[in-house]
């Protein structure tokens, strides 16, 4: 992630960040600092997830189920149907997420 941050965001936007001809050593230091920051963020999020218990895992799996099915359907539709229109695919994806949310809500609430 740190390398992607430097190569995809920092280098193409050197003028925006007001960097005047930075050296490779500068990019190496920025990459190492970003790597440490991303590592600490991952450790912090894993601690929060461990402290939250089973509720967070259940919510994450439910969200993945709600969004994963319709997005997989959109992927296969794009791969197998060359004449699919973007607006129709978008509407189908939104409706699929809505139906999946409705089914998940009725499963969670009991009715």
């Amino acid at each position: 992630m740190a390398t992607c941050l430097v190569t995809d965001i920092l280098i193409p936007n050197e003028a925006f960040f007001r960097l005047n001809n930075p050296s490779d050593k500068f990019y190496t230091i920025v990459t190492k600092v970003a790597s440490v920051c991303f590592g600490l963020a991952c450790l912090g999020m894993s601690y929060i997830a461990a402290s939250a218990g089973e509720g967070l895992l259940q919510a994450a799996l439910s969200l993945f189920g709600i969004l994963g099915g319709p997005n997989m359907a959109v992927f296969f539709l794009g791969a197998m149907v060359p004449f699919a229109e973007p607006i129709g695919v978008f509407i189908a994806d939104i409706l699929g997420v809505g139906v999946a949310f409705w089914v998940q809500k009725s499963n969670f609430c009991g009715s």
Side-chain angles (χ1 to χ4, degrees):
M1 287 176 44
T3 305
C4 290
L5 173 78
V6 171
T7 58
D8 295 341
I9 296 174
L10 193 62
I11 291 176
N13 299 310
E14 286 178 348
F16 178 76
F17 294 113
R18 293 184 175 86
L19 300 174
N20 294 329
N21 199 10
S23 65
D24 287 339
K25 185 177 180 180
F26 170 77
Y27 287 126
T28 302
I29 292 170
V30 169
T31 303
K32 288 179 181 180
V33 169
S35 178
V36 169
C37 290
F38 285 132
L40 290 174
C42 287
L43 284 174
M45 285 189 273
S46 65
Y47 176 74
I48 291 170
S51 298
E54 299 259 339
L56 182 66
L57 178 63
Q58 183 64 34
L61 290 174
S62 296
L63 187 64
F64 179 73
I66 289 170
L67 298 176
N71 285 338
M72 186 176 67
V74 167
F75 172 77
F76 283 126
L77 179 69
M80 308 242 180
V81 181
F83 51 85
E85 293 290 328
I87 190 71
V89 172
F90 178 73
I91 291 171
D93 191 27
I94 297 299
L95 289 174
V97 168
V99 169
F101 180 75
W102 176 48
V103 169
Q104 182 64 31
K105 182 188 95 36
S106 64
N107 185 25
F108 182 72
C109 294
S111 61

